[in-house]
Every structure is written in C-alpha cells, then in structure tokens.
Amino acid sequence: MSKTSTPGTGDAVDGATVEVIRNYLTSAATEMQRTLIRTAYNTIIYEILDFGISMYDADQRLIADSPGLSMFLGANDYGLRRTIEHLGEENLDPGDVVLCNYPYWSSTHTLDVLVFMPVFLDEELIGYTASRAHWLDLGAKDEGYVLDSTDMHQEGVIFPGTKVYKGGEPDEEILDIIRFNSRIPDKVLGDLNAQIAALRTGADRMRGLHEKYGTDTVESSIDSVIDHGEETAREAVADLPDGTWSAVGHADGITSDKDDLIRVEAEVTIDGEEFTVDLSGSSDQVDAPLNVPLGMSQTLAKLAFKSITTPKEDSNEGQYEPLTLEVPKGNLFNPEYPAPTFTLWTAFLAVDVIYEALAKAVPERVSASSGGDLCDIMLFGEDPETGRQFVEALNEGVGWGGNDARDGPNALMHIAESMVRNIPVEVFENKAPIEFDELSLRQDSGGPGKHRGGLGIQRDYRFTHPTGGLSIVQKTQTEGWGMDGGEPGAKNVVVLDLDDGWEDRVQVLVDNDELYDAADDDLKYAGMFRGSFEPGETISNRSGGGGGYGTPLERDPEAVREDVLDGYVSPEGARADYGVVVSEDGEIDREATAALREDRRS
C-alpha cells in the first residue's frame, strides 16, 4: 500500500475541473456496472450483484469503482497488480483482455473471475478497467460450491493471467477451454462477454475523458483526487484515539467437532495517522476450503477502515494509504499454495471481529455484531422443463447489531456484501424447481438489549422435482457479541426436513443437533451440507440476528410491547429476555412487569 502519487502535481488544475473529472470517472464506473447488469446471463450477477467494478490509472492506482460486492473491490486492486506483475506491462497491447482466477493472485476463490483490459490512447497506456464477477461453474470437482476440498486443484480450471482477447480478437482456443470445462458453458461464456462489454464501456469513457481534457490535465486531476483522499483519511485516523485493541472470534470448521473451530483474531493499532490491522493471531492455514488469500484479507481490512474514516466518499487509492495489514505467510489469511480457498466465508467473519476490536476503541461509532454470515443456499441439477443443467444461488440477509442510538436493522445483507441483494421469490421459483413456503423475519432472533439487535430471516424451500442442494453457513457453532450489556443474537442454522433414508443422500459436514432441540426425528439442524432432495422435502434457512446494545432490562417496556405486536419478539421472549409481561390482548401488565424486573435486577 505504498504511495505512488507526487503531492502537489495537480496544483496547476483548477478545483472545478478536478471535480468534473472525479465525478466523470465515478459516473463511468457506474455505467460499467449497468452494462454488466443488463448483459449478464446469470441471476447471481444481474439480481444478486455479485461483482466488483474498478477503474485504474496507468500507475495501477484506483481512481473509481462501482460497488456490488464490496469485498471484491480491494481484491481487484491486488489482483490487477499481481497479474500485471506476472505478465509484464510491456506485454499488454491495445485490445487485450486478461482473465485471472488463480486464488493467490486474483484474491478470492476460482469462480470469482477477474477480467481486465489495458486502455490505450494513440498507443499510450492511460489506464485499466477491471471487472470481477461470480461464474457459476468452471470445472470444479463438485457443482455449485466445493465444501470439502483439501487442495486448490480440486476447485476448478486455473487461469493465472491469460489473454482471452489479443489485439481485439477472441482467442478461440482459450474460449474452448472454458466451454469444455463448464457444466453450463453458454451461461458462463455469456457472463464473460458481459464483463468484457463493461470493460469496453469504461475504456471508451476513459479515452473520451483524455481526449477532451488532455492526458496531462487528467493525470494532474487524478493526483489531486488521490492526494485529497489520503489527506482526508489521515485526518480521520488522527481524530481516533491511539492504542491497541484486539478481539477473537471463531468460524465453524469443516466438521461438527468443536475442536475443529477456526480462530480469527484481529488486533487494531492506531498511532497518530497510522492504522494497522494485524491478523497474525488467527489460525494457520487449514486443509479445508476456508483459507483467505492475501488480497481478500487486505480488502476486509480496507472495508472496516473506510467505514470509520471516509464512509461517504467515493473510493480512491489515497484513502487507504494510512492502512497497513500484517499477517504472516502460512496464516489462514495469507495461505500458501496449494491451500484450498473455495468457501472463504471466514473473511466475512473477520470483518465482524475487526469491528469488535474497534468497538473497544470507539464504541460510539460501531454497532454490536451482525448475524455474521452470508447464509447461502445453492441449488443445482437438471431443469425439468428444458433438460439443461442449472446452478442457482440465494444468499440471505442477517440482523445487524444495535448501537448506542437505535435498534439494529432487520434482514440486511452482511456489511461485507455492501449493495448485494437477494433474488425475488418469483425470479428464483422460475429458475429452479422449488416453491417457497415461507419468507419471514425470524422471531426472537435479535439480540436482547436496551437497543435490540436486528432480526434474521426464515426462508423455507420446498422441492417440486429431484434437485441437488448445498448450504454455506459458517457461523453456526459460536455466537456473535453484544455491547454494553447487550446479548448476542440467534445463531445461523439450516433445518432439513426429509423423508426416510435421507442419510444416504445428504452429507452434513457441520450439524447443530446438540444445540437445538429437534422435535421430530426427521429434522436435521445443519450448517454446511450437500445432498440430493426429493419432491416434497424442505430446507429452512434461518439466518442469525444482530447483537443487542445495553442491558435488556433498560429497554422501554412500550418498545418491547411494540416488538411483540409486530411479531419481532414473542410474548415468551418479552418475559424471558426483557422482563416485560405482555397480555394476550397486547397490553403491558405494569405491576407484573415491575415485579419481574425488580426480581431480575436483584
């Protein structure tokens, strides 16, 4: 994260021109995003927004982005630079399009494919446009997601920085490698073409900008924007208290064994204008697809850093100059070849752990923990109407934590997903052979507190035809955290309700039967699983709630009553968690409540 701009080089350009150019670049990145959405083939891109769009100058400095999945943006920075280092900048020509999904360079798992192109004007390199998007299949050993890989070579075909277009012409041999290594080649190649269309849109806008204002003016303006970004970020860090704070969390391992839990430790140090995140205390890399490549680890640190320093400003290179990440090779967050990386949900948990450390430094600027997961369900198999293979994914919102001012929001995507969405019921039912029996807020899932944590979601899938399915739910065995006496929210869980013989069809990697009282022997409480399902069987995906803030007994009884009337809290939960007695007609029993709360306090 070294500084490459020269302070003051933009002084010759007036401020109005600098602002016009800055906003033009942001608008160009947004236009790239819209091009991708409008031309993509898969719902994971055009509905969920599982992508990241970035623009860079000729020095590979971030100058604009357009958020989809926020965890991709910093990963784009690292991936672009590492891939160019491998190829050599001198070997890039006008019209080239480069593809990289080698996890240790691209910064995430093999299906999050980075595609970028150099931008030239009159044979002079003026910048790069980049797009990362989730492809649904690229030759991994299993459909959908690989949950039990022990080696990255089980996770799909690897492109370490391969020109899929050369001089503006497609390389048909490379396209054939993609085509013949995918279970759904038409959709994968369609998404590749959508990414390339987005790159070309950004490249056209970048060239137009340079043609209008001149390269010297554009580059000087970019220097000014980056210098201002660094200055603003350093001022924000300087306003924070100096010190060192740490926190520890745990992700589920790849089995139900509690000794298999994976340690995630974050230490945050603020010293003047410098901000350091140290993940060295986390577990060593594991023989399971839970490792997080270094570029992604930088990204999760950037996400937490930006949210408390320059959250309302468009991203640029300068804003991250005060930030340093420390993590040794061989660590969970800096794995070495050939460690698998396919289900790197540990990255999302790490964001919450960094926030937990920051909560000790600036509690007024941080909320209690979220549900801590993406709660993905993926379905795959043969479409009963067309006979063609399909893969569809649906992630779920979780509760966010309460803070010193208000309750936590209900059912939002994890903060690491930024502007990502779930898929509308009508769209998903049209794409996969299922019907939804229920989509609701999960009662009593918000962590009790003076300010309650937000609620998670319950979504029940009913299969209408034989279908494969899996879940990636990683925060099921341990709780989140509340603040200032608040309590954690409910854990994530998936409930399987299947007919006899399901044990032969479903591999449950992490189960929670000891944590939940199963009322029926046909039910299985799971975290991660893969299996095949028959018509009439169901999956109930229940996402976690946010942590509470403040002592629950200090919550206004009227607020508890309203929660009961809204269905957020059950009458039993109101009594047990808040000491508030709500009658059947929805009124507060003031005398019983006062006595119960007094008893609890004593």
Side-chain angles (χ1 to χ4, degrees), residues 48 97 115 175 189 200 247 263 275 295 321 348 353 379 383 390 400 410 426 441 512 519 531 572 597:
I48 292 180
V97 176
V115 182
L175 293 176
L189 289 172
R200 288 172 173 165
R263 179 183 177 90
F275 189 106
E321 289 299 332
F348 305 109
V353 176
L379 305 181
D383 188 307
F390 76 90
W400 283 25
N410 298 325
E426 298 82 2
L441 293 174
N512 284 333
E572 296 76 18
R597 285 191 158 189

Side-chain angles (χ1 to χ4, degrees), residues 41-62:
Y41 274 51
N42 282 295
T43 54
I44 199 166
I45 297 177
Y46 68 75
E47 288 285 356
I48 292 180
L49 311 185
D50 195 342
F51 59 74
I53 300 287
S54 309
M55 301 179 72
Y56 301 86
D57 69 0
D59 293 326
Q60 302 163 29
R61 299 180 300 176
L62 178 68

